[in-house]
Amino acid sequence: MNTNQIEGLIGMLLTFGILVLLVLPSAFGVARDRRADRQIREAQEARGEQEDQKSSSRSTVPSTATWYAEGRRSKKLVSS
């Protein structure tokens, strides 16, 4: 190898090293986000299973928002 080839090799290695340093933080961020998403999904699934078990003992009274929306829908149907 002559001097030009060695300089070219060093330049490519430095460029590759800088590229790795720039990409590494975003790769860690993606991995962290995926882990957080997985933990959230597992917690939601666990909560869903607990709610399924509790749902038989709960009353089925609609919420105030549902009652209000039903009243507004019926008024729209009557007026049109």
Side-chain angles (χ1 to χ4, degrees):
M1 284 179 113
N2 62 18
T3 308
N4 289 336
Q5 290 174 333
I6 293 174
E7 287 179 3
L9 180 64
I10 291 171
M12 284 193 311
L13 290 175
L14 283 174
T15 304
F16 182 71
I18 292 171
L19 179 67
V20 167
L21 287 175
L22 290 174
V23 171
L24 203 58
S26 64
F28 282 138
V30 168
R32 183 179 174 191
D33 286 345
R34 288 184 136 188
R35 186 179 69 229
D37 289 342
R38 180 175 35 84
Q39 289 173 345
I40 291 170
R41 189 172 41 254
E42 288 172 356
Q44 286 174 342
E45 289 172 358
R47 180 185 286 176
E49 290 173 4
Q50 288 176 354
E51 286 181 0
D52 288 343
Q53 292 171 357
K54 291 181 181 179
S55 65
S56 60
S57 64
R58 269 194 205 163
S59 65
T60 57
V61 177
S63 69
T64 305
T66 305
W67 172 80
Y68 180 74
E70 288 294 325
R72 292 196 41 93
R73 274 192 223 116
S74 63
K75 288 178 186 174
K76 285 182 180 178
L77 292 174
V78 171
S79 64
S80 57

